[in-house]
Amino acid sequence: MDIQINNKTVQVDAEGDTPLLWVIRDDLGMTGTKYGCGLAQCGACSVMIDGQVVRSCVTPVDKVAGKQITTIEAIESDDMGKRVVAAWVKHQVPQCGYCQSGQVMAATALLKQNAHPSDQEIAAAMVNLCRCGTYNAISAAIHEVAGQGGDQ
């Protein structure tokens, strides 16, 4: 089956019910998207499908046919994604870093949908778990990007 990932069409040989996460990591060799819980609870496996944050650990690959998948490997090719990554670095958001690819995906999707989110909107959108507790730095980085303007 063909899938659209990071602005490329790739052919994958996987059963339709194979989680997208395993196709991304094992078949395509893109290991930036992480396995966390396998239950769609933690968000380490977050990718964007047609601009919406999706948990790839529970998304069957056959459900993404004809849709555009974006992983952390391509997030900086998007202007908003590039700005989010720069703010992440500036605010020293990552500690252990394990959850951060999913956090960046969620923040980028949020800011593309809502260029100037409130604290409440950030809290509602940023539900990925961070064992290191970098939530205040995450919020500060999102507010910085939102304050830069450049509505999408």
Side-chain angles (χ1 to χ4, degrees):
M1 103 180 46
D2 288 344
I3 61 172
Q4 303 290 319
I5 189 162
N6 298 336
N7 296 313
K8 296 178 187 171
T9 300
V10 297
Q11 188 172 32
V12 295
D13 183 23
E15 296 292 326
D17 62 349
T18 302
L20 178 60
L21 175 63
W22 301 129
V23 171
I24 291 169
R25 290 182 59 82
D26 296 344
D27 297 345
L28 302 177
M30 293 185 280
T31 57
T33 304
K34 305 298 184 195
Y35 173 80
C37 66
L39 302 170
Q41 299 297 305
C42 74
C45 69
S46 295
V47 298
M48 283 192 279
I49 299 177
D50 290 342
Q52 300 295 314
V53 175
V54 175
R55 306 293 204 236
S56 65
C57 70
V58 295
T59 302
V61 70
D62 66 358
K63 299 293 184 200
V64 300
K67 298 180 181 183
Q68 184 55 243
I69 304 159
T70 305
T71 70
I72 193 67
E73 285 84 0
I75 200 65
E76 288 187 88
S77 65
D78 177 271
D79 180 60
M80 183 62 74
K82 189 173 190 172
R83 291 169 43 205
V84 168
V85 170
W88 245 241
V89 171
K90 180 179 178 183
H91 287 272
Q92 299 179 11
V93 174
Q95 288 184 22
C96 83
Y98 197 82
C99 70
Q100 293 306 312
S101 59
Q103 300 281 8
V104 167
M105 299 303 290
T108 301
L110 166 63
L111 288 162
K112 286 176 81 71
Q113 294 169 2
N114 180 354
H116 303 286
S118 67
D119 286 331
Q120 294 79 13
E121 291 166 327
I122 292 170
M126 299 301 296
V127 295
N128 292 11
L129 299 178
C130 175
R131 291 186 62 137
C132 299
T134 65
Y135 302 111
N136 290 337
I138 288 169
S139 181
I142 292 170
H143 278 297
E144 175 164 316
V145 174
Q148 292 172 356
D151 295 358
Q152 296 287 316

